[in-house]
Structure formats: structure tokens, C-alpha cells
Amino acid sequence: MPALNINFSDEELAAVRAAAAAEGKSLKQYVHDLPLRERQRALFVRYAAAFGDQHRAEFDEAFPDEVPPAAAGAGGAEAA
């Protein structure tokens, strides 16, 4: 099975150990899970942003007072 050696400073390693302990995981399991969780998070954010873009007009129509001023045509020049 492939392995990976990762160098951490003493402070970084202490922080990673604390994070692993907070999740009730071994250091090895915690570090193993991090890139997998990050991939899931990135996919979620990408799909959530796409969903928001697809339904923005619906939301703006349903909640006209929530449209940001720049998008509503009010511009941002008044803040200057």
C-alpha cells in the first residue's frame, strides 16, 4: 500500500494532534481523512453555488427586499 511522509513543525503537529483528538480519531486516520473530506466539501460548494446561480431569479422574485443593492440597480456610488 502506498504511503506518504509529511513534515510538520512542532507547532503544526501539536495542532493536528489536537484536532485529531477532538474528533476522537487517531492521528493517522485524521490525516488520511482530510483530503477526502476536502474533496467532498469542494464538490458540495461547487454544486451549491451552481444551484444558487440556477435559482437566483426565483429567489430575487420571491424576496425583492433581499436583492443586493448592486444587483438591484442602486449602485454602490452612494457609499463613497
Side-chain angles (χ1 to χ4, degrees):
M1 180 181 325
L4 179 65
N5 290 324
I6 302 173
N7 296 318
F8 292 101
S9 69
D10 291 340
E11 295 82 17
E12 291 169 336
L13 185 56
V16 173
R17 284 185 196 277
E23 289 196 19
K25 294 182 177 181
S26 69
L27 182 60
K28 184 176 181 179
Q29 187 64 51
Y30 182 79
V31 173
H32 170 270
D33 292 350
L34 279 176
L36 304 175
R37 262 197 336 219
E38 176 56 23
R39 182 171 184 272
Q40 289 175 334
R41 186 201 66 78
L43 282 171
F44 174 83
V45 169
R46 183 175 3 150
Y47 288 116
F51 180 87
D53 289 343
Q54 292 169 355
H55 297 278
R56 179 160 290 132
E58 261 179 79
F59 181 87
D60 290 348
E61 185 178 324
F63 304 100
D65 295 337
E66 299 297 323
V67 177
E78 297 158 9

